[in-house]
Amino acid sequence: MERIDQRLSEELTGQVTRAVRETLRAELSEAVRESARKRKRTAALYAGAAAAALYAGAAVALALGLVIALGLPDWAAALIVAAVLGAAAYALRRAARPKRPAVPEAAPPMPSEPPATGTP
């Protein structure tokens, strides 16, 4: 009788364990799917914002070039706008780089004893 009770208890424990694992897997996969859906939407919105900002920047550069072209030749206006945009890109790149710690210049090591001459 004890064997049957023990066997039924083990079988029931195994079934409950499997049921709990399956339920947890289903819940976890649903939570992961929902999180991925939200992140995908956020990424798409950021991509759209970046594209709009790119076009806005191009429009500002064009407007600046047209304003400068009122007083200068077209090629000079384009050159000035290109130089300004290049300087802005360089400044942004320098700001994005991590700061390197200053490395002090090391003096060559000084021997603590005079070198041996090799003859006694």
Side-chain angles (χ1 to χ4, degrees):
M1 189 71 167
E2 283 183 34
R3 282 186 179 173
I4 294 174
D5 288 342
Q6 185 180 4
R7 187 173 159 195
L8 287 175
S9 176
E10 288 173 1
E11 188 176 322
L12 182 61
T13 302
Q15 288 176 356
V16 168
T17 302
R18 277 192 299 275
V20 167
R21 284 183 183 161
E22 289 173 7
T23 304
L24 286 176
R25 277 191 196 121
E27 290 295 322
L28 183 61
S29 67
E30 180 61 32
V32 167
R33 260 188 253 121
E34 184 64 30
S35 175
R37 203 173 301 131
K38 286 180 183 178
R39 289 177 189 252
K40 183 179 176 182
R41 181 177 185 277
T42 301
L45 290 173
Y46 274 121
L54 180 67
Y55 283 113
V60 167
L62 178 64
L64 179 65
L66 291 173
V67 167
I68 294 173
L70 291 175
L72 295 174
D74 292 344
W75 64 268
L79 190 62
I80 291 170
V81 171
V84 168
L85 291 175
Y90 181 75
L92 288 172
R93 186 195 67 142
R94 294 244 346 188
R97 277 186 144 175
K99 304 290 183 213
R100 292 185 187 156
V103 178
E105 290 188 31
M110 298 293 291
S112 59
E113 297 179 9
T117 59
T119 57

